[in-house]
Each structure stands twice: as structure tokens, then as C-alpha cells.
Amino acid sequence: MLVRVESGDIARTTTDCVVVNLFEGVTRPGGGTGAVDRALDGAISRLIEQGDIRGKYGELTLFPTFGKIPAPRVLVAGLGKPAEFSVDRVRDLSADIARRLRAARVQRFATITHGAGIAGLDPRACAQAIAEGTILGLYRFGKHKRPEEDTTEVEEVVLVEHDPAKVSSLEEGVELGVVLAEAQNFARDLANEPANVLTPTELAHRAQSLAAAVGLEWEILDRPQIEALGMGAFLGVAAGSHQPPKLIVLRYRHGDGPTLGLVGKGITFDTGGISIKPAAGMEEMKGDMAGGGAVIAAMGAIARLKPKINVTAIVPATENMPGGGATKPGDVLRAMSGKTIEVINTDAEGRLILADGITYARRLGCSPIVDVATLTGAISVTLGNVAFGLMGSDAGLVERIKAAAKAAGEKVWELPMFEEYREQIKSDVADIKNTGGRNAGSITAAFFLKEFAEDTPWAHLDIAGVDVMDKDRGALVKGASGIPVRTLAHLALSMSAL
Ligand code: BES
Ligand code: MN
Ligand code: ZN
């Protein structure tokens, strides 16, 4: 699908549908909506008068234009109260509009830039949000399904701008939005893919072809190399699987500044291992590589956006399976850092592979390090499917991530790292154990990771809970969310030339 900007008059644009908007309480629309209203002999004003259109946020009214303008249909989108409007609302509304028009078999539409008028939002940011919302909202994972008859795809969306002087800044916004949304959809494709297709080897292949396409350096380490590095924690998780583990490394270089390390959990399927999970809902564990997928996808966006910073992505990828060779509860593993780990529960596998991933990031000189993982069910008890959890050892880094999430329009919430919690992961037989009991499960998992980050500034994003959506919600569609790709890309942008 193509999103582009054009200078002209929305009322005179030739397309399948023109999209205009209305704030709540407005009786005489102005701007592009006013122009379309006049061209339609006051049809929109009449619908407002009759109470058919009220401008409530998310209200979508589609009606025919009977040859009065070149476009055969017009859609009036309600923007709600100006004081409550925001760039995030532009993104979600754009997704709703695009899905609504796809359902009406519209293949091309033109729109005005929602929010850039009386709401007083930055037009460039609004254009970006329209591109993001449209591309994200139209996403579907249909490759394993016969397409339904009668369905069409939206092929082109044009932002029509009256003032030619504003076109280039809108174009900049659209360009950034397209890169971010396409990266997020790439992450969605990875996490939606069934685990028989997306094995660790296949994940490595996809990372490699992305790297080749956008110009990243890549390296895929296989079992002998992982053994040579002494990654006993990672290998302990891989021990039950017939699929060979892969350590995926992608590098983006721009200048001689610091190297941001992004470490992603790449469990391509999590059965729980010997501490096997209940059958109900286990299919969702095909998405247990969502953190790794987000990190890989974000590298694609970073390569295209070219911030002045170095970024290295590390994704330990393996299945977590039971089997004759599998790690057992009570086993002691020696991590790459030299620390020994008592495995209490083989289902707490994410922290084991991340331990070695983080150690490897340190070995490569990364600082700071940010890891991303579908780590704990506990985080969805805490934050539901709305926000991801953030914990870290470095206040500056934590604040920078919060700012990046805000800029990206993704929701994050920090959990405390009080020293008292560390107690829960002390082991009688090893340096540390891999579970800390039911209480504060997300925080004790973070304390486990902190042991391996040591003195390197580090933060951890626990995305279990937001990695999969159970229904469409604005720019988020049912299935893999692709969170937090946009936050990671914004983080790298914010560190440019530091
Ligand atoms: N991958 C799961 C966490 C998860 C749960 C992600 C639900 C998405 C949805 C993780 O490996 C896991 O099993 N965590 C355990 C840890 C426990 C054994 C300490 C959990 O949260 O129950
Ligand atoms: Mn698990
Ligand atoms: Zn897991």
C-alpha cells in the first residue's frame, strides 16, 4: 500500500472516497470539511443539523455524493472534543477509517490531515500518525488462509493539503510513519507465524534477509559457536529441542559513539519444558519470540532512519521443549558470565537465554543494554494488555525509554527495583535460582537479569500481556501487536549523536 501527499483541493480530488472530519459541537464545518460540504450543497451541515452526525470521537459516517464531486463517496470522521484530541487519537482513528473503507471495498481514498486544523497539533506529527495508523490498522496475517471472496485491499491513501508550502513537512511525517509502521508489521509477521514455520533457523533466515535488504551487518552463531562461548544457560533451554539453537546478531554502525545493545527473547515456542504448561492457550506461546522479533524489526527501522549511534541486536533463539535431553528442575547451569543457576522451573526459560544474551552484549561492548521479552505472566496481571512493564538499573536510561514510548504512542509503566526483592532469587545450591515465587514475579525476573547486566546501564521491557491483542483496538489489530518496535526505534533516534 502506498501513502503519499498531494497539494490540492480535497473536494476536487478524483478517488474512491474522500475523508473529512468533524469535532464535536461544530455546526458549520470549516477547512477541507467545509469545502466538501459546500461542494455537496450543504449535505454535511444538514446531517449535523438533523443529529445524524455529532462528531463523537470514532463516529464514522459514509455516504454517497451523487456525482456532485469527483469522489463517489465521502466519509466524515468524528474527532470528539478538541481538548481531548491528540496525535495518538489521529493514529487510532486513521486505523478505524482504513478498516471501515476496506470493508466498503474502497481501494483508494484521499484524506485531509486530521488534527492539523483547529486542534492545533503539529501537522507533520499528524501526517506521520495517519501513515502509521493506516498501515498498522490494515495489517492482517492471511498467508496461511484462502482469501475470502469479495475482499479487496486498500492500495493508495493520499493526504491532500491545500497549502503547497506545507507539503514537504507532511511528506517527512509520512515517510517516518511508513518506516515505523512497516517495521512493526514485520515484527507482527514474525510473531504471528506458527512455530513449525518460524523455527530458530527460520527466524535467523528472516533476520538475515532483512539485514541484507536494509544494509545491516549480520552474524548467525550456531550450536558449536554457542558452546564455545560457554553459554550454558542458553544451551540448557535448548537441550530439549530437536531444532538447533541460533544466536542472531545484527549490527548497525554510524559513528564512534556508544553502542546501544538490544537483546530480545527468541523462544520460538515455549511448552514450559519439563515444567510443562497446561494445554489451554499453549498455542499462544508461538509468540514467545515477540521480544526478539521486535528487536530485529526495530533494527530494520533504524537502518532506514540512520540515527548517529551504533546499535547491536542480539537474539538468542531456541524452542523450550520437554524431552530426554531436556533440563530438569533442580539442574544447575553455568552461564557464560560464570555464574551458576539453579533451575527451579524450566518454564522460567526466558531469563536463562537472556542472561547469556546480555553477557554477550557486554562482551561486545554494548552500553546501555535494553532487553525486550515476553517474560512473565505476572506482568499481564499487573498491567493487562494496555502497557508493558519497564524495570532498570539506570534512572537516566529508564527516563529516556519512557520519553521514547511517549513519542512513539506506546504505553509503558515502570515497576520498582527495591533491593529487598533480590532476596527471593537466592539459591541454596547455586549463585542464583531462576524463579522467585509468585509474589512480584515480574520484578524478581528483572532482578535475575540484572545479575548479568552487572554494572552496565541496563533496562528491561516485559511485553508479555501486550504482545498479542484479542481484538482490534485502533492501530492495534487482533493477533501479534508488534509492540514495542516504535519505542525501540524512537529510543535509537533519541540517542543520535549523544
Ligand atoms: N513465556 C512465558 C511468559 C508468558 C506468559 C508470555 C503468558 C505471554 C503470555 C514465560 O516463559 C513463562 O512461562 N513465565 C513463567 C515464569 C514462572 C515459571 C516463574 C510465568 O510467568 O508463569
Ligand atoms: Mn516459559
Ligand atoms: Zn517463555
Side-chain angles (χ1 to χ4, degrees):
M1 203 224 356
L2 180 70
V3 185
R4 59 183 183 86
V5 183
E6 201 176 272
S7 112
D9 178 354
I10 186 86
R12 291 163 188 250
T13 304
T14 304
T15 180
D16 297 342
C17 181
V18 293
V19 180
V20 293
N21 62 41
L22 189 75
F23 276 111
E24 212 175 312
V26 172
T27 51
R28 301 286 303 161
T33 309
V36 173
D37 186 37
R38 282 190 298 280
L40 297 177
D41 302 326
I44 297 175
S45 302
R46 192 130 352 112
L47 287 164
I48 298 168
E49 247 165 64
Q50 286 170 196
D52 292 325
I53 301 183
R54 295 191 300 160
K56 293 264 181 222
Y57 176 64
E59 173 195 73
L60 301 178
T61 313
L62 181 64
F63 54 94
T65 59
F66 300 113
K68 286 183 178 153
I69 61 173
R73 301 173 197 83
V74 57
L75 178 83
V76 182
L79 303 185
K81 297 188 174 71
E84 288 170 10
F85 204 57
S86 62
V87 171
D88 291 340
R89 281 194 155 190
V90 173
R91 187 184 305 104
D92 284 333
L93 182 69
S94 300
D96 289 342
I97 290 167
R99 279 194 298 266
R100 173 64 193 278
L101 292 179
R102 178 176 62 189
R105 273 179 253 112
V106 165
Q107 286 172 287
R108 269 160 241 281
F109 63 90
T111 181
I112 56 173
T113 306
H114 315 297
I118 57 171
L121 301 174
D122 172 26
R124 184 181 180 280
C126 293
Q128 181 189 332
I130 290 171
E132 288 173 0
T134 305
I135 294 168
L136 292 168
L138 289 173
Y139 173 86
R140 36 187 182 195
F141 186 70
K143 65 182 280 201
H144 299 297
K145 227 177 154 209
R146 189 182 316 134
E148 279 164 44
E149 275 169 47
D150 242 29
T151 56
T152 57
E153 296 294 337
V154 176
E155 273 155 25
E156 189 184 59
V157 178
V158 185
L159 272 71
V160 177
E161 170 54 51
H162 203 77
D163 181 356
K166 287 188 184 151
V167 166
S168 72
S169 87
L170 296 185
E171 275 172 343
E172 278 171 30
V174 165
E175 227 167 279
L176 178 56
V178 167
V179 169
L180 294 171
E182 287 181 352
Q184 188 166 345
N185 283 349
F186 184 88
R188 288 170 167 183
D189 274 343
L190 294 176
N192 280 325
E193 199 68 90
N196 61 328
V197 175
L198 198 88
T199 59
T201 303
E202 176 63 15
L203 181 60
H205 282 153
R206 302 242 183 137
Q208 188 182 316
S209 37
L210 174 72
V214 298
L216 291 164
E217 294 173 31
W218 52 267
E219 199 178 349
I220 312 294
L221 282 64
D222 52 17
R223 195 194 295 274
Q225 294 166 294
I226 297 165
E227 277 165 2
L229 287 167
M231 294 186 160
F234 179 21
L235 290 167
V237 175
S241 174
H242 293 185
Q243 291 291 338
K246 301 287 168 187
L247 184 69
I248 302 164
V249 183
L250 302 178
R251 280 200 188 83
Y252 167 80
R253 291 184 212 262
H254 196 326
D256 47 15
T259 300
L260 167 65
L262 298 177
V263 182
K265 172 177 173 181
I267 296 291
T268 60
F269 196 81
D270 182 12
T271 65
I274 296 299
S275 315
I276 200 161
K277 288 182 181 292
M282 203 203 273
E283 70 283 357
E284 271 194 36
M285 287 301 118
K286 71 177 183 176
D288 209 20
M289 36 51 65
V295 160
I296 292 166
M299 289 300 280
I302 290 165
R304 291 172 73 182
L305 299 172
K306 300 190 168 43
K308 290 189 187 65
I309 182 193
N310 301 306
V311 189
T312 298
I314 294 162
V315 179
T318 177
E319 294 181 331
N320 182 27
M321 299 287 283
T327 293
K328 303 165 290 297
D331 286 2
V332 174
L333 303 174
R334 179 179 294 273
M336 182 185 177
S337 76
K339 284 197 169 127
T340 57
I341 303 163
E342 183 187 8
V343 177
I344 301 298
N345 189 319
T346 64
D347 198 11
E349 85 296 342
R351 63 199 77 182
L352 296 174
I353 69 167
L354 290 172
D356 285 341
I358 290 168
T359 301
Y360 192 58
R362 295 187 75 230
R363 189 73 57 86
L364 295 179
C366 297
S367 178
I369 295 171
V370 177
D371 77 74
V372 188
T374 48
L375 206 63
T376 66
I379 201 70
S380 41
V381 176
T382 309
L383 300 174
N385 67 1
V386 175
F388 53 91
L390 166 63
M391 289 145 272
S393 63
D394 184 274
L397 177 61
V398 164
E399 289 313 312
R400 185 175 284 286
I401 292 169
K402 287 183 192 171
K406 201 173 174 64
E410 294 182 323
K411 292 187 175 67
V412 63
W413 200 256
E414 185 183 1
L415 271 61
M417 291 289 284
F418 297 130
E419 272 308 310
E420 287 88 336
Y421 293 115
R422 161 70 249 219
E423 188 94 9
Q424 289 173 236
I425 53 170
K426 282 186 177 162
S427 164
D428 293 332
V429 303
D431 296 334
I432 187 176
K433 62 181 180 183
N434 80 329
T435 59
R438 259 175 62 82
N439 291 344
S442 306
I443 300 173
T444 55
F447 264 96
F448 182 96
L449 300 175
K450 186 168 178 266
E451 289 293 310
F452 299 88
E454 299 186 36
D455 56 359
T456 303
W458 153 86
H460 158 62
L461 308 183
D462 192 339
I463 61 167
V466 299
D467 64 315
V468 179
M469 293 293 138
D470 55 5
K471 58 171 187 294
D472 293 351
R473 191 173 76 210
L476 297 172
V477 294
K478 188 172 179 179
S481 67
I483 293 172
V485 169
R486 301 204 310 271
T487 296
L488 296 176
H490 276 276
L491 176 65
L493 291 175
S494 83
M495 293 176 70
S496 184
L498 260 193

